[in-house]
Amino acid sequence: MNVPECLRINCPLKGDTVTGMSAETVSVTGWGRTAPTTARLIRPRTYEEAAAAVRGCGARGGIARGLGRAYGDAAQNAGGAVLDMTGLDRVHVIDAAGGIVLCDAGVSLHRLMRVLLPLGWFVPVTPGTRHVTVGGAIGADIHGKNHHVCGGFSRHVLSFELLTADGEVRTVSRGTPLFDATTGGMGLTGVILTATVQLQPVETALMSVDTERARDLDDLMARLSASDHQYRYSVAWIDLLARGAATGRAVLTRGDHAPLEALGTRARREPLAFRTSRLPAVPAHLPEGLLTRTTVGLFNELWYRKAPRARTGQLQSISAFFHPLDGVPHWNRVYGRGGLVQYQFVVGYGQEETLRRIVRRVSQRRCPSFLAVLKRFGDADPGWLSFPVPGWTLALDIPAGLPGLGALLDELDEEVATAGGRVYLAKDSRLRPELLAAMYPRLDDFRALRAELDPRAVFVSDLSRRLSL
């Protein structure tokens, strides 16, 4: 059996079972590979086994886990149980006429794309990787390049089945308190077993993409504000090492699903074929110090210069447009053994000066980040702990061992909270708990519902302990 790097088996617990299911002690990390903790890993293969696993979690409780792409400690549970839900991965029903799918929560977006694209349907929202499960997409209420027009993943979920702490399986419909507590609730209300999702119709498996360069942050924000409404998908890569007049220079990429008429003769033979590319995996052990200000600065310069000043209508594959890093297995290893911190925040419209200050501070500190993206969010999602609110969101990857990083991010948290913004819990690994209430106004409602639904704290994670969720 191939075990993901973020679930490393230390030693089997001989005879340790949960009603027939074997349990192993494993070292668990998030995608950022920081703050590993040890837990019992349980792999249910049926709904009955999932219920038994919840009953057998023990005093330290348990948390559901999908494909391990949360950057921080949301799917870790030190000393407790972690339920690997990827064994529940059946696609039950596809309504090919209405574009609705009923599937297990352990099904990945990658698999859904393979199954649904030939039928003319696409997942309604995808983040920067397709290797996330449907359950994880709901628990983190993931967002994508289309949030400004389509909202987060939960907007397209019609209902889901939730295994709660009392062993009951509840059908949860949108518009109910339990739905809003679970979407964005980081797995703390229960284990999602199945979901019914409304899909996006497409004519082809290609994207029609417009690309342009912005000379600085103000130029970028002006372009986004003026014409983002014309595109379903929009994202900007920012050079956070550029300073002076070039601070915040960026490459802006926007597009939509290509219509059949945009394809050439050869492409029309298989317009809905889902094609992916794969490069060699990053080695498990790389020399430390590869990502320095010099190397990242060189990469950023080349990336900016190679982008066209303006190009319209380029056809790209879905994988190239949405998930370029998925073509590089284990790309997170590039950051070395110390791992990486992904810091993502949002501040509302009208708080552009806060965004400018943060970009300037990161640039002046010369943080070696080559993965930094800026997007605009549309209307807030209904989840009580859902991250998106109308405004500007910036996400950046930084080597975790960068000197002074903790203090810098603490200061940025203060700025974000003061501006009425928030950080994304699915990527967080170090937020101070006293700032959480200022960032998430429905926090008390979430805590109250969770206390009523799960008074024995069956569902718990390293994230929930750290932030007193």
Side-chain angles (χ1 to χ4, degrees):
M1 178 181 64
N2 293 324
V3 179
E5 185 179 56
C6 51
L7 287 175
R8 292 177 176 165
I9 295 178
N10 295 331
C11 60
L13 289 174
K14 294 182 179 180
D16 184 9
T17 62
V18 181
T19 61
M21 290 173 287
S22 63
E24 299 161 309
T25 56
V26 298
S27 177
V28 186
T29 71
W31 190 245
R33 305 202 302 165
T34 57
T37 53
T38 300
R40 289 184 305 137
L41 181 69
I42 306 170
R43 297 184 176 91
R45 291 295 184 265
T46 67
Y47 305 144
E48 292 78 14
E49 288 187 353
V54 168
R55 290 194 298 270
C57 279
R60 291 285 287 179
I63 193 70
R65 182 182 178 95
L67 289 168
R69 292 305 179 101
Y71 280 77
D73 52 5
Q76 300 175 209
N77 182 24
V82 170
L83 280 61
D84 178 350
M85 299 302 295
T86 56
L88 290 168
D89 61 352
R90 292 167 294 177
V91 178
H92 294 283
V93 180
I94 299 173
D95 177 357
I100 297 174
V101 63
L102 167 62
C103 64
D104 285 344
V107 173
S108 70
L109 298 192
H110 172 81
R111 185 170 176 216
L112 282 185
M113 291 177 195
R114 285 203 173 278
V115 171
L116 297 172
L117 267 171
L119 304 177
W121 298 99
F122 188 62
V123 295
V125 171
T126 176
T129 174
R130 59 185 178 273
H131 298 302
V132 298
T133 62
V134 170
I138 295 171
D141 196 12
I142 60 171
H143 55 273
K145 298 178 174 72
N146 59 345
H147 191 278
H148 62 296
V149 294
C150 295
F153 195 85
S154 65
R155 293 280 188 89
H156 309 274
V157 175
L158 305 180
S159 64
F160 52 81
E161 290 183 307
L162 185 71
L163 172 63
T164 49
D166 56 8
E168 181 180 348
V169 177
R170 309 177 187 223
T171 299
V172 183
S173 300
R174 55 198 300 180
T176 62
L178 186 52
F179 187 98
D180 293 345
T182 302
T183 55
M186 307 311 296
L188 297 173
T189 61
V191 178
I192 300 169
L193 298 176
T194 70
T196 303
V197 182
Q198 178 69 59
L199 305 168
Q200 165 70 32
V202 295
E203 293 183 11
T204 75
L206 294 173
M207 306 297 297
S208 177
V209 181
D210 294 353
T211 304
E212 57 191 296
R213 293 197 316 219
R215 64 182 179 271
D216 56 31
L217 183 60
D218 285 340
D219 182 31
L220 173 61
M221 289 193 292
R223 291 170 187 258
L224 287 167
S225 298
S227 54
D228 243 14
H229 64 280
Q230 300 173 12
Y231 298 89
R232 179 176 293 272
Y233 303 100
S234 175
V235 66
W237 168 87
I238 295 185
D239 181 1
L240 287 179
L241 283 176
R243 293 184 291 179
T247 299
R249 67 177 180 178
V251 178
L252 176 57
T253 308
R254 298 183 285 189
D256 207 335
H257 298 279
L260 185 61
E261 62 190 27
L263 273 58
T265 303
R266 289 187 61 184
R268 289 194 188 191
R269 295 173 188 168
E270 294 183 294
L272 291 166
F274 179 46
R275 296 183 173 88
T276 62
S277 60
R278 188 179 177 90
L279 296 172
V282 175
H285 302 292
L286 287 176
E288 296 295 322
L290 287 180
L291 295 184
T292 65
R293 294 182 178 94
T294 300
T295 59
V296 174
L298 178 60
F299 171 87
N300 287 2
E301 181 69 26
L302 293 174
W303 191 261
Y304 181 77
R305 295 298 175 188
K306 84 174 187 65
R309 293 183 182 275
R311 180 177 59 199
T312 61
Q314 183 192 25
L315 294 180
Q316 294 183 9
S317 68
I318 278 174
S319 59
F321 181 76
F322 289 107
H323 316 119
L325 286 175
D326 281 349
V328 186
H330 302 295
W331 64 263
N332 56 339
R333 294 174 179 171
V334 171
Y335 288 85
R337 295 180 182 178
L340 71 141
V341 172
Q342 176 151 128
Y343 185 67
Q344 184 170 6
F345 68 90
V346 58
V347 292
Y349 298 122
Q351 293 293 332
E352 285 77 11
E353 189 51 42
T354 299
L355 175 62
R356 292 186 185 97
R357 281 198 305 271
I358 291 176
V359 169
R360 285 196 298 266
R361 291 189 65 179
V362 173
S363 298
Q364 289 165 0
R365 285 291 300 270
R366 308 289 288 162
C367 293
S369 175
F370 69 91
L371 291 174
V373 296
L374 181 72
K375 294 182 290 194
R376 283 161 45 95
F377 281 158
D379 292 340
D381 295 312
W384 294 345
L385 297 186
S386 290
F387 169 63
V389 294
W392 305 91
T393 179
L394 177 65
L396 56 148
D397 288 354
I398 310 172
L402 187 71
L405 179 61
L408 171 64
L409 296 184
D410 284 347
E411 293 169 1
L412 298 189
D413 288 342
E414 295 280 359
E415 284 216 49
V416 169
T418 300
R422 57 184 59 166
V423 300
Y424 191 17
L425 297 182
K427 296 181 177 179
D428 176 58
S429 58
R430 23 80 39 213
L431 179 69
R432 301 198 312 277
E434 60 267 24
L435 292 178
L436 194 63
M439 293 181 173
Y440 289 90
R442 300 297 301 272
L443 178 62
D444 286 343
D445 294 328
F446 177 83
R447 285 171 169 161
L449 184 144
R450 185 173 174 233
E452 178 182 351
L453 192 66
D454 184 10
R456 296 184 296 113
V458 171
F459 298 111
V460 65
S461 66
D462 291 352
L463 174 80
S464 70
R465 290 191 185 94
R466 177 169 55 84
L467 295 178
S468 300
L469 284 171

